[in-house]
Amino acid sequence: MSGRLAHHRPAVHGNTSGTGRAVHRVSVAPAPTVSFDDRFARELPEMAVPWQADEAPDPRLLVLNDALATELGLDPGALRRPDGVRLLVGTAVPDGAKPVAQAYAGHQFGGFVPRLGDGRALLLGELTDVEGRLRDLHLKGSGRTPFSRGGDGLAAVGPMLREYVVSEAMHALGIPTTRSLAVVATGRPVRRETLLPGAVLARVASSHLRVGSFQYARATGDVDLLRRLADHAIARHHPATADAEQPYLALFEAVVAAQASLVARWMLVGFVHGVMNTDNTTISGETIDYGPCAFLDAYDPATVYSSIDIGGRYAYGNQPIVAEWNLARFAETLLPLFSDDQEQAVALAVEALERFRPQYNAAWSAGMRAKLGLPDGLDDEVATALVEDLHALMQESHVDLTSFSRALGAAARGDAEPARLVVMDLARFDAWLERWRALGPDAELMDRTNPVYIPRNHLVEEALTAATDGDLAPLQRLLEVLAGPYEERPGLERYAAPAPGDTGPYRTFCGT
Ligand code: AMP
Ligand code: MG
């Protein structure tokens, strides 16, 4: 690992010229002993622009993930001290670390943008965690970079805490996701509709490789770069595929499988990502970029929360199809690595992509069986009919997905009243209950599968509003509740309840 800033000439240039500016601005103060690797920057210098974070006038730690810090081999106590906080906003870079802004492209709402990249983020470097896994430490809201385009490079406290809360909730639910290590208020105001306090999120991921990273590499026309990127992805995420007869095809198949499983998990828990652009689709199969995401309350496949998703492209029910579409874009980038014969390359890609639907369906069906506590070995037709009939009932009655699923657990134990209370067509529901109960549903399996506590939109908003006003107690409380989503605890009734009826349709905003 080297502390040199640039041992190459980056192939990407921005309007904020050069990398020299960064060298003068940053205070390279000694930070807590952290040893960063710079593997991405070394192996893919064309996609890594050495850069530094903006100074933070008055950094204040708002929340720190002690357990995650420990998992990363970092000392939470040291991270709380001034040097540690400066590391978490990127203004004290440890010796040898080489922060970079990563280049990527992407389809945004279906339109290709050849150059997106980290416009307000930096990869500080890679850490080896206590289990020997390589993890990215990444900052969001750390200032302008050569990829900022019209943006200010900044982030506000509210949206960064939102990503912290929702990503940690997803992790507690057992869903693959980037993690959140800390949010630090910078003391710098950010101009949105109003002036808001600024913040930096310290994010951890098994990597930040995206479908958009491959689209960027492919668009350069440099097949060697594309191959190095694929090799890097194989080594980091799917090392077993290196020994396959066709490693790049095996990489693609592995990503198809990981995304099929991920999106099935989202659907089962009612998660709406909100902005499934190809630059927000990871190679690792982790959920990334919590912008306008939200959890379903009223069950309806057409649900859209994001204010900018006018056409409903990323509606709840569209997510599997969109994932498949994004994977098709991924396949296109890999064609030159599949075969020199383009026709053959396309045929291989199509065949591999065709596995997405059966894999998604298998993951989703298995998840639905667990949600309904169905016994092993139950006939497919019986299970499918039960699941379909239930979804029709849920949609008609717009039931709250989370509390209703949990109420079915109570019904499996003999108390169907909580579930019956929210369904309109009782005659049909009673008939459904009879069919289902005759199968002897496993209530304990249901309780291990159906969460009680999810980051409900109104609870998240309430905690973020208080935090933005300086009161962090509701946020801490919410984080504690969400850390144990499956175990119902006394005194937490309001965290399990659906949104009060008077809140109106929920809207999320991307201008974060
Ligand atoms: P996102 O919608 O957060 O996935 O971001 C899409 C693209 O816009 C990425 O290239 C981001 O880096 C960039 N971006 C988002 N917000 C800002 C901002 N405030 N300043 C600069 N770039 C931004
Ligand atoms: Mg993004």
Side-chain angles (χ1 to χ4, degrees):
M1 185 171 64
S2 102
R4 285 172 296 157
L5 264 174
H7 54 68
H8 60 85
R9 199 179 158 71
V12 277
H13 299 286
N15 44 18
T16 24
S17 62
T19 55
R21 164 186 165 235
V23 185
H24 299 297
R25 279 185 314 140
V26 81
S27 50
V28 188
T33 37
V34 183
S35 170
F36 283 112
D37 200 347
D38 57 358
R39 184 165 172 176
F40 178 86
R42 274 186 290 113
E43 294 181 4
L44 300 154
E46 298 93 331
M47 297 178 65
V49 181
W51 206 253
Q52 299 289 357
D54 274 358
E55 274 304 334
D58 180 22
R60 270 188 317 117
L61 184 65
L62 298 182
V63 53
L64 176 69
N65 191 333
D66 286 57
L68 179 59
T70 307
E71 197 179 303
L72 293 169
L74 303 173
D75 171 9
L79 289 176
R80 285 200 163 79
R81 289 193 283 275
D83 271 358
V85 175
R86 297 203 308 128
L87 169 73
L88 292 169
V89 278
T91 55
V93 177
D95 278 348
K98 186 174 139 189
V100 294
Q102 291 178 297
Y104 53 84
H107 275 89
Q108 299 199 306
F109 290 90
F112 186 62
V113 185
R115 188 189 145 103
L116 290 165
D118 287 335
R120 55 163 173 174
L122 288 176
L123 173 64
L124 275 186
E126 301 108 16
L127 293 167
T128 302
D129 73 12
V130 292
E131 285 176 25
R133 295 171 301 188
L134 204 59
R135 315 271 292 266
D136 277 5
L137 182 56
H138 173 103
L139 305 177
K140 193 162 167 178
S142 50
R144 286 180 55 81
T145 75
F147 300 105
S148 296
R149 296 172 290 160
D152 59 9
L154 303 175
V157 164
M160 294 305 99
L161 287 176
R162 191 164 200 285
E163 172 155 345
Y164 188 107
V165 171
V166 183
S167 65
E168 287 305 304
M170 292 286 271
H171 173 70
L173 287 165
I175 300 174
T177 176
T178 62
R179 303 289 307 277
S180 293
L181 178 62
V183 177
V184 178
T186 57
R188 174 193 302 258
V190 180
R191 183 170 294 282
R192 294 292 179 262
E193 283 85 29
T194 55
L195 271 191
L196 298 169
V200 170
L201 168 75
R203 174 164 89 180
V204 175
S206 69
S207 87
H208 281 79
L209 300 180
R210 311 146 188 266
V211 167
S213 313
F214 283 80
Q215 292 181 296
Y216 181 88
R218 178 72 200 273
T220 65
D222 180 349
V223 178
D224 173 63
L225 172 62
L226 181 66
R227 193 181 310 275
R228 268 184 287 126
L229 178 60
D231 289 339
H232 181 88
I234 287 172
R236 287 191 73 168
H237 298 299
H238 306 288
T241 63
D243 302 325
E245 205 173 304
Q246 298 214 53
Y248 303 117
L249 189 60
L251 168 67
F252 179 61
E253 289 167 348
V255 177
V256 168
Q259 285 290 334
S261 155
L262 177 69
V263 177
R265 300 294 305 267
W266 290 357
M267 297 302 288
L268 290 163
V269 80
F271 176 74
V272 186
H273 183 282
V275 55
M276 285 178 75
N277 293 331
T278 56
D279 51 301
N280 292 336
T281 302
T282 57
I283 301 308
S284 63
E286 288 173 351
T287 312
I288 197 170
D289 275 358
Y290 294 84
C293 66
F295 279 73
L296 281 192
D297 21 58
Y299 180 80
D300 183 352
T303 305
V304 176
Y305 292 108
S306 171
S307 59
I308 61 166
D309 191 0
I310 312 290
R313 180 181 174 92
Y314 299 142
Y316 169 70
N318 281 358
Q319 295 186 119
I321 291 289
V322 172
E324 186 188 48
W325 191 89
N326 289 349
L327 290 165
R329 307 289 77 75
F330 181 37
E332 286 163 4
T333 71
L334 294 172
L335 291 178
L337 304 183
F338 288 170
S339 171
D340 291 335
D341 172 351
Q342 188 171 333
E343 233 169 84
Q344 195 191 350
V346 171
L348 289 168
V350 168
E351 193 188 325
L353 188 59
E354 273 169 4
R355 304 218 189 118
F356 178 83
R357 288 186 189 204
Q359 284 173 347
Y360 170 81
N361 288 334
W364 186 80
S365 303
M368 274 315 302
R369 283 168 173 251
K371 280 179 85 69
L372 294 182
L374 300 181
D376 281 343
L378 179 68
D379 186 74
D380 256 345
E381 255 173 59
V382 177
T384 304
L386 263 180
V387 166
E388 281 178 4
D389 293 348
L390 181 68
H391 277 96
L393 281 159
M394 293 200 307
Q395 190 176 345
E396 276 163 34
S397 298
H398 275 80
V399 301
D400 175 77
L401 176 66
T402 301
S403 58
F404 183 72
S405 302
R406 197 75 186 184
L408 285 179
R413 291 195 166 83
D415 179 12
E417 279 323 299
R420 293 182 83 250
L421 264 178
V422 293
V423 175
M424 289 188 298
D425 189 342
L426 273 181
R428 251 171 70 221
F429 186 49
D430 285 340
W432 184 90
L433 281 170
E434 202 175 305
R435 270 159 70 204
W436 171 63
R437 276 170 161 171
L439 300 169
D442 177 347
E444 256 145 54
L445 169 63
M446 293 178 73
D447 283 358
R448 288 197 304 276
T449 310
N450 297 312
V452 197
Y453 310 113
I454 55 159
R456 289 183 176 281
N457 307 319
H458 66 290
L459 298 173
V460 175
E461 292 305 321
E462 171 192 279
L464 300 192
T465 304
T468 303
D469 292 342
D471 178 9
L472 291 167
L475 177 80
Q476 287 297 350
R477 181 84 172 133
L478 182 61
L479 288 170
E480 282 162 28
V481 172
L482 296 174
Y486 297 103
E487 195 196 326
E488 193 163 1
R489 284 158 282 164
L492 299 184
E493 289 73 15
R494 69 181 294 267
Y495 293 93
D502 57 358
T503 49
Y506 188 64
R507 276 274 158 271
T508 57
F509 297 93
C510 213
T512 55

